[in-house]
Amino acid sequence: MPLLARIAALTCLVLVCSAHVGSPDAWYEGAAGPYHVVVQVATPSVVPGVARVFARVTGVGVEEVTVQANRFDALAASPPPEAAAPVDGDPGLYSAPLWIMSGGSNSVTVGVRGSLGEGKAVVPVVVVASSRLELDPKLGITLAAIGVFLFIGLVTIVGAAVRESVLTPGESPDDRQRWKARTAMAATAGVVAVALFGGSRWWNNEDTNFNRSIYKPFGSSAAVESLASGDVIHLRIADSTWMRRGDSAWLRKHGAPSWTPLIPDHGKLIHVFMIGEPDLAAFAHLHPATNDSVSFTSSLPHLPPGTYRVYGDIVHESGFTQTLVSKVTLSRPTRESGRLTDPDDAAHIGAPTLHSDSAVLEDGSVMRLERPRKTFVVGREAPLRFSVTGADGRPVALEPYIGMAGHAVVARDDGAVFVHLHPSGSISMASQMAFQMRQSGDTIPGRLGERIRVVEASHARAPIDQRGVISFPYAFPKPGRYHMWVQVKHAGSILTGAFAFDVKSVA
């Protein structure tokens, strides 16, 4: 898919985005009524900007595919749906550009109509200004030359008009007319210079305001503390706008945004991942507890000493998702408390074999990466499909793990890419529910979040019919060496398979 590859290559210029790191595209796989869809939304790096939406639709009799943008706080003010066009040479794939007019928590609704009926899928998308587009030097020089030419031409025309427009044909201007022309030219040059100066000040002010609006993730810090019961990690949000979120006067004074409360995603208020450096041979998935949504604390499983990247995924009631990024150093192996903070916490120690498509899990079963292509390529859709079989070669029955068939983490070795994936894609399920369940009366912070919490609790133990197979929709945004950890649950135990492979540039 050359078009898809080109779009994904453009989006990979963004190093840090609001949800995940270095992987700004939103991926979703699921149902749109009677149709199965895989949706990729390549978000713009400036706001307003144009997103590119790709939708792969599986089902017979598809007649029309539409896309529609909707901001979280605009219940009834959405623009009309726009038709997506089929992509040449790729049956079932549709594409459309889509204007995103405001930053923050948005969604893209993909509608499918055909002989089987109609259906819709809501894909939450976080859109933030993440870069400043520089003016091409050659274009700047060209525009400056044109500006000088127009400036001189305007002054010359005014001088000629004052000097000669009142003369009869054949009459030459006298000294008084020439003096008046020079005065008019000087006045015109002064007025234009003042206008240019004012325009320059206005432009620089707009540029400064835009630079201030470029999204900056919450500042955070991580620290490890040794207690009598064992070692714990503290992850703290150090951003003033979050810590002072209840002080409306302070927020107005500093022009700070007003954040909505955090809501649980898969029943957890925060998902914390620890990845050891430099060989990425240690991995932990934790769910710290909190009393104030500022400081999060979790018991540590056994981990070897070293420096760890720490990532914390959080979801706001508005559907806005963020990834906290920090580092922590362990001077010695951690001491387990004997009881983890959350029963869904898990860790994995051991470096995978590079390019190996199989991993032996803790219970002796085997997880295999089933990829149709030998090499992963930047920007090309890469369904990450895994099968789990027991020692007898039979498929292993998977159980729900944190409300899903499984979870996966993809990280580039240098930390430039980090993404938390589910079988439904890279989107947050809580964010999707926020768009689907929001009502016009949800003006009190926390009300919507409470309804989402109740619904999530009812779905937490939903049966999963995977027959030992799990897949994650994704496309790698950058070339390089990647590690991937896939977590599933079987017989009450959390099992982690680790893989390492290279991703090549677009040919």
Side-chain angles (χ1 to χ4, degrees):
M1 288 175 291
L3 179 59
L4 178 60
R6 287 197 297 271
I7 297 298
L10 289 175
T11 61
C12 77
L13 298 175
V14 183
L15 292 180
V16 178
C17 54
S18 57
H20 313 306
V21 176
S23 187
D25 291 4
W27 284 87
Y28 170 75
E29 180 173 2
Y35 302 93
H36 181 84
V37 297
V38 178
V39 181
Q40 177 197 12
V41 182
T43 57
S45 61
V46 296
V47 183
V50 179
R52 192 81 189 183
V53 183
F54 297 90
R56 184 176 297 282
V57 184
T58 304
V60 297
V62 177
E63 299 173 2
E64 183 183 41
V65 176
T66 61
V67 295
Q68 180 184 35
N70 182 35
R71 185 172 163 81
F72 179 79
D73 54 6
L75 283 173
S78 302
E82 299 184 26
V87 175
D88 292 339
D90 198 335
L93 182 65
Y94 296 80
S95 173
L98 191 62
W99 271 98
I100 306 294
M101 301 307 297
S102 58
S105 182
N106 290 265
S107 71
V108 172
T109 300
V110 177
V112 184
R113 181 174 60 83
S115 60
L116 298 179
E118 297 184 3
K120 292 182 178 181
V122 177
V123 183
V125 180
V126 171
V127 180
V128 292
S130 56
S131 65
R132 175 179 177 272
L133 301 179
E134 297 290 342
L135 180 66
D136 183 87
K138 295 179 180 179
L139 177 61
I141 293 174
T142 301
L143 293 177
I146 293 175
V148 170
F149 173 78
L150 293 175
F151 175 80
I152 296 174
L154 176 62
V155 172
T156 302
I157 290 173
V158 170
V162 172
R163 183 177 58 250
E164 301 175 7
S165 63
V166 296
L167 300 179
T168 58
E171 184 181 359
S172 299
D174 55 19
D175 292 341
R176 186 170 181 274
Q177 292 298 120
R178 294 190 181 94
W179 178 84
K180 290 175 63 177
R182 295 189 188 102
T183 302
M185 293 170 67
T188 301
V191 170
V192 174
V194 170
L196 290 175
F197 177 75
S200 174
R201 292 289 300 271
W202 170 82
W203 181 267
N204 290 335
N205 185 60
E206 288 294 310
D207 186 51
T208 300
N209 290 336
F210 179 80
N211 284 331
R212 290 174 180 171
S213 71
I214 291 179
Y215 172 75
K216 300 175 183 63
F218 279 170
S220 61
S221 61
V224 172
E225 181 182 9
S226 294
L227 303 177
S229 58
D231 293 337
V232 299
I233 184 171
H234 301 287
L235 180 63
R236 178 178 175 82
I237 300 177
D239 193 282
S240 298
T241 61
W242 178 249
M243 293 188 291
R244 303 290 293 270
R245 62 190 183 279
D247 189 345
S248 57
W250 185 91
L251 295 176
R252 285 195 301 269
K253 179 180 178 181
H254 293 84
S258 178
W259 292 100
T260 56
L262 300 184
I263 58 175
D265 191 22
H266 310 295
K268 317 294 183 182
L269 204 60
I270 185 171
H271 293 258
V272 171
F273 303 91
M274 298 178 63
I275 300 176
E277 292 184 325
D279 55 2
L280 282 68
F283 169 83
H285 181 184
L286 309 175
H287 307 93
T290 182
N291 294 322
D292 56 7
S293 295
V294 173
S295 297
F296 303 84
T297 302
S298 176
S299 300
L300 282 172
H302 173 70
L303 293 172
T307 299
Y308 287 78
R309 305 173 199 156
V310 181
Y311 303 95
D313 284 347
I314 56 176
V315 183
H316 294 269
E317 192 178 46
S318 65
F320 193 91
T321 57
Q322 297 195 65
T323 296
L324 311 175
V325 180
S326 187
K327 281 191 176 184
V328 68
T329 299
L330 305 179
S331 59
R332 54 170 177 75
T334 55
R335 295 182 300 108
E336 293 187 67
S337 64
R339 180 184 177 187
L340 295 175
T341 302
D342 190 287
D344 290 320
D345 290 356
H348 176 82
I349 301 173
T353 302
L354 183 62
H355 303 309
S356 174
D357 288 347
S358 64
V360 179
L361 306 184
E362 290 87 339
D363 65 349
S365 56
V366 178
M367 180 180 289
R368 290 182 174 85
L369 170 59
E370 302 176 354
R371 47 179 167 175
R373 307 181 189 92
K374 186 62 179 177
T375 303
F376 291 117
V377 177
V378 168
R380 182 175 296 169
E381 187 178 349
L384 300 166
R385 189 174 188 269
F386 298 85
S387 63
V388 184
T389 56
D392 57 1
R394 296 181 178 179
V396 168
L398 301 180
E399 302 168 3
Y401 174 48
I402 322 180
M404 306 291 289
H407 294 253
V409 166
V410 176
R412 204 170 82 163
D413 284 12
D414 61 357
V417 175
F418 166 85
V419 61
H420 176 195
L421 297 175
H422 312 114
S424 58
S426 63
I427 67 168
S428 158
M429 299 306 296
S431 180
Q432 186 182 51
M433 293 170 68
F435 278 95
Q436 293 174 333
M437 298 173 58
R438 182 171 183 260
Q439 301 172 2
S440 57
D442 289 326
T443 57
I444 300 176
R447 176 177 293 177
L448 174 60
E450 184 58 36
R451 293 209 310 275
I452 292 174
R453 187 178 292 106
V454 171
V455 173
E456 276 205 331
S458 65
H459 293 171
R461 300 297 176 184
I464 295 175
D465 182 19
Q466 291 291 327
R467 299 183 182 181
V469 176
I470 184 172
S471 63
F472 307 89
Y474 190 59
F476 294 94
K478 298 178 177 66
R481 180 156 296 172
Y482 284 79
H483 275 57
M484 183 173 184
W485 297 268
V486 181
Q487 295 185 294
V488 295
K489 194 172 186 178
H490 170 64
S493 298
I494 302 169
L495 309 174
T496 304
F499 301 85
F501 44 80
D502 291 326
V503 175
K504 305 298 183 181
S505 299
V506 177

